[in-house]
Amino acid sequence: MRAAIPGLLLHCSIGTVYCWSYVSTGIANQIGYEVKTVNWAFSLAIFFLGMSAAFLGSVVEKDIHKSSLIATICFSLGMIGTGFFVKYGTNQFDGGAGSKSPLALIGIFVCYGFIMGVGLGTGYLSPVKTLMLWFEDRKGLATGLAVAGFGAAKAIGAPIMEAMQKHMDIDKMFYILGAVYFVMMFIGHLLLKKPEGWHEPSGEEKKPTIMEVLKTKPITNYIGIWLMFFINITCGLAIISYEKQLFITVGFISIAGTLGAISAVFNAGGRFGFSAWADTMKDRNTVYKMIFILSIAFTAIVLVTNGIVNAEDSKLLAIIVVALIMVVNAGYGGGFSNVPTLLSDHYGMGSISAIHGITLSAWAIAGLTGNQMANAIVNSVASKHPELLREVEYHGEMITVNPVGYQTVLYVTGALYVVSLLLSIFLVRPSEAALAAKKAKAK
């Protein structure tokens, strides 16, 4: 309880960063900027999540209470600050009567992107090692439980944010949520505790550097783990960032919101399910191979059938496209929850927070490349072939969808999933425990 509950409190709070799409349009309309410009706040939040985890992993390693307190303060302060600058920008723009405020936009980037990003990185790392120490025999189950909270936060937070926006201004919503999440995270910070029997090396004890730990195995082993983690996030973000448009494109207009909530459940379920399942495997890397094979198989089916383009005329193809989105969400979540346990299998528990933090730099870079890559492909198709665009009515408004553009994204993500599978097979070697189990079976 001193690990699972605080882990859930922390991750269910910071995971609401993925609710950005439910507030971005409202913020853009209030401060007078285009949605694509305002959306950089989310990209920056993911970037600084990964980079703060990379640079502050040693702080988490030394003192989880300090790191969880930093996370609590930064995340809630960033959310309240975002509300302040939304209000400031609204007053300046005044529905178009005034002028757009660059200060408001920069303030949102700093608060939601940088300050909240630091809270995300430290908050993400703080409970992970603690959970693995409490549940040494079921490390995947333990970390999957907490990291599932990060995925489930969208399913919980999105409808709450939508309901709040119907009754109050966005800035007030950010103030209230900032206060609520501060209380939740502060309780998690107070409860978080490592097992009594765990001995953390003191300052006088010689502790190997990160590079010394990584070099205990061929460095290509770590490079393989980093790259397949990076590619899985890139592909996931490329598809997930357009999932609402995809649901509408294939004809599920009336239940697009419901399907979005279900995809969030798959994301959270993948984090818990794949991680717990990996505990039963001799080599934890096997779960990544399964994730990539499933993603390749469903992507190939949609590509061969030209599923996104033809789904309007075939309910079966529409269901297959939705199935692909659910598989990608589950694999995206499972990729996250299995990284710390895979790293601990290879490099031990001594420096796992620091190594996990460095590995999350893959998340930082993918946060800037995944959805931007998809945007570039979709926009390129739209500019070269405007006749391929379709107008669809959604909740009384006409929106433009780009079936061929979305289909083209899958050619790139499908190829990248194949690269990831090859990396997991040829670069990531079996852990010592997996090799020992294989030898024992041979005897």
Side-chain angles (χ1 to χ4, degrees):
M1 290 299 167
R2 296 302 299 270
I5 291 176
L8 283 171
L9 286 170
L10 288 166
H11 277 220
C12 280
S13 299
I14 63 176
T16 52
V17 67
Y18 277 124
C19 295
W20 172 256
S21 62
Y22 292 87
V23 298
S24 57
T25 301
I27 291 173
N29 291 338
Q30 284 195 219
I31 68 175
Y33 284 90
E34 293 184 43
V35 175
K36 66 179 182 181
T37 302
V38 173
N39 276 348
W40 276 99
F42 175 75
S43 295
L44 288 170
I46 299 302
F47 175 76
F48 283 109
L49 183 162
M51 297 313 293
S52 63
F55 286 101
L56 296 176
S58 57
V59 175
V60 179
E61 202 73 65
K62 293 175 184 176
D63 191 340
I64 56 169
H65 286 106
K66 181 184 288 185
S67 63
S68 59
L69 183 60
I70 291 171
T72 301
I73 294 171
C74 286
F75 186 78
S76 54
L77 183 63
M79 185 161 276
I80 292 170
T82 300
F84 172 83
F85 282 105
V86 168
K87 181 65 174 177
Y88 177 80
T90 302
N91 291 339
Q92 295 296 305
F93 184 61
D94 194 21
S99 58
K100 293 183 289 188
S101 171
L103 177 60
L105 184 65
I106 293 170
I108 292 169
F109 287 169
V110 170
C111 291
Y112 199 95
F114 173 65
I115 299 176
M116 273 181 63
V118 172
L120 287 165
T122 50
Y124 191 90
L125 281 180
S126 294
V128 172
K129 177 176 178 177
T130 310
L131 280 159
M132 288 194 288
L133 291 173
W134 278 95
F135 300 92
E136 289 188 59
D137 295 332
R138 299 300 305 273
K139 293 185 290 187
L141 176 69
T143 57
L145 179 65
V147 179
F150 196 94
K154 178 184 174 184
I156 299 168
I160 292 174
M161 287 186 175
E162 283 196 314
M164 291 179 74
Q165 288 178 74
K166 292 177 182 177
H167 299 94
M168 64 183 69
D169 293 335
I170 290 179
D171 58 291
K172 291 181 181 177
M173 180 196 73
F174 274 110
Y175 297 150
I176 293 171
L177 291 179
V180 170
Y181 289 133
F182 177 83
V183 172
M184 288 175 59
M185 295 180 72
F186 192 70
I187 293 172
H189 153 72
L190 294 176
L191 290 176
L192 196 61
K193 182 183 179 183
K194 292 180 181 178
E196 296 292 347
W198 173 254
H199 170 67
E200 202 72 63
S202 63
E204 293 78 24
E205 294 180 67
K206 173 68 174 176
K207 191 172 184 178
T209 65
I210 301 301
M211 283 308 300
E212 287 174 340
V213 175
L214 293 178
K215 286 181 178 179
T216 57
K217 290 203 168 189
I219 196 64
T220 51
N221 185 73
Y222 178 74
I223 292 172
I225 293 173
W226 193 97
L227 284 174
M228 69 181 192
F229 183 48
F230 166 74
I231 294 173
N232 191 46
I233 301 169
T234 298
C235 293
L237 287 175
I239 296 171
I240 292 169
S241 62
Y242 277 98
E243 70 173 30
K244 181 178 177 180
Q245 291 91 328
L246 285 167
F247 293 144
I248 295 170
T249 301
V250 300
F252 292 116
I253 299 171
S254 62
I255 58 170
T258 302
L259 289 174
I262 294 172
S263 73
V265 173
F266 269 82
N267 193 313
R271 292 167 191 260
F272 180 76
F274 277 121
S275 192
W277 194 8
D279 281 336
T280 65
M281 299 175 181
K282 295 183 177 66
D283 185 3
R284 202 175 292 271
N285 184 38
T286 303
V287 82
Y288 281 98
K289 296 173 185 175
M290 295 174 66
I291 288 171
F292 299 141
I293 290 170
L294 284 170
S295 300
I296 292 167
F298 278 85
T299 301
I301 294 170
V302 176
L303 287 175
V304 168
T305 59
N306 208 19
I308 297 174
V309 177
N310 296 328
E312 192 177 28
D313 302 318
S314 171
K315 189 62 69 175
L316 176 60
L317 290 180
I319 292 171
I320 292 172
V321 172
V322 171
L324 167 63
I325 295 170
M326 300 306 170
V327 167
V328 168
N329 268 279
Y332 179 81
F336 275 108
S337 60
N338 276 285
V339 161
T341 46
L342 178 65
L343 291 169
S344 71
D345 284 355
H346 283 267
Y347 303 106
M349 288 294 296
S351 302
I352 188 60
S353 293
I355 295 174
H356 186 204
I358 292 172
T359 308
L360 290 180
S361 63
W363 194 0
I365 300 171
L368 295 178
T369 59
N371 56 342
Q372 299 301 330
M373 176 189 75
N375 287 340
I377 294 170
V378 171
N379 292 336
S380 176
V381 172
S383 62
K384 292 178 181 177
H385 302 284
E387 72 279 2
L388 299 176
L389 305 181
R390 290 207 320 251
E391 292 288 325
V392 179
E393 185 178 352
Y394 180 67
H395 292 334
E397 295 182 17
M398 298 304 294
I399 67 169
T400 302
V401 295
N402 188 347
V404 176
Y406 309 147
Q407 185 83 19
T408 306
V409 171
L410 295 187
Y411 284 100
V412 179
T413 57
L416 288 174
Y417 277 129
V418 171
V419 173
S420 290
L421 179 61
L422 295 174
L423 288 170
S424 68
I425 293 172
F426 295 109
L427 278 192
V428 182
R429 300 189 174 189
S431 64
E432 291 179 7
L435 289 172
K438 188 177 181 180
K439 288 180 180 178
K441 186 177 180 181
K443 290 180 180 178

